[in-house]
Amino acid sequence: MFTSVLMIEKPLTSVDVEFVTTLHGDEGVSFIVLMQPRGDQADVLLRAIDDVALGELKEATREGDEPEGKAAREPAELALEHSLRALREAGCEAVGQVVEDHPLDKMKAVVEESEADEVIVLTAPHYVEEFFHRDWASRARHKVGVPVLKLFAHSE
């Protein structure tokens, strides 16, 4: 069984589920999903710049409405449950948790404890952070000790 630690910031879409569950062909995959609430991941200005870069001007004006801190916990738990259910329905093993503090430290600990084979970071594009190599995938590559794959999440 191939074990993947999957870092997400929003619920998996059906396209995302198909994408990550077919990466290794017919080999069985077990996922450990770490849900990082988007509101806690970067400041509002950086998220707004990313939205503008993607041509999503309406989204840029709503970045201040993104729940942060404790208000982000419940939506994150619902997103995690939805994602775990979708992965299981696709025939994979899946467990997970919401990560609020020190996500890279948590990711490293989970990789070590589970003896994971890889990390998949599945997020929306974060152009500013990616340019400066401050995005989750770039930072994880120097910390977790297994291959890290950066994928862009889809929207439905």
Side-chain angles (χ1 to χ4, degrees):
M1 174 87 46
F2 199 87
T3 302
S4 294
V5 175
L6 176 61
M7 173 73 101
I8 61 174
E9 63 185 5
K10 65 179 191 167
L12 295 175
T13 66
S14 59
V15 176
D16 293 331
V17 171
E18 182 178 353
F19 197 31
V20 298
T21 59
T22 60
L23 284 172
H24 300 289
D26 293 334
E27 187 171 357
V29 181
S30 171
F31 289 98
I32 303 169
V33 181
L34 301 178
M35 173 69 192
Q36 172 67 42
R38 187 168 183 234
D40 292 345
Q41 194 176 87
D43 74 351
V44 175
L45 178 60
L46 289 178
R47 291 193 319 258
I49 291 170
D50 285 338
D51 290 337
V52 170
L54 290 169
E56 297 174 354
L57 300 179
K58 288 183 182 180
E59 290 298 318
T61 63
R62 291 192 286 249
E63 283 299 343
D65 299 335
E66 190 77 38
E68 305 237 0
K70 292 183 193 242
R73 179 75 188 198
E74 186 175 346
E77 288 173 351
L78 293 172
L80 176 62
E81 285 306 314
H82 165 83
S83 300
L84 293 175
R85 186 172 41 256
L87 290 167
R88 290 175 189 142
E89 287 172 0
C92 297
E93 294 180 12
V95 297
Q97 61 185 288
V98 174
V99 179
E100 296 179 86
D101 297 318
H102 309 291
L104 290 174
D105 292 339
K106 183 62 175 179
M107 182 189 297
K108 180 180 180 182
V110 168
V111 166
E112 290 172 356
E113 290 167 14
S114 66
E115 297 180 354
D117 298 293
E118 69 180 356
V119 169
I120 301 171
V121 178
L122 182 73
T123 63
H126 297 291
Y127 293 117
V128 175
E129 288 123 334
E130 289 168 20
F131 180 78
F132 292 107
H133 303 285
R134 300 301 303 153
D135 60 298
W136 294 124
S138 295
R139 291 167 54 199
R141 284 185 182 105
H142 301 287
K143 189 162 188 127
V144 297
V146 296
V148 176
L149 179 61
K150 166 69 175 159
L151 301 175
F152 291 123
H154 295 82
S155 20
E156 286 185 318

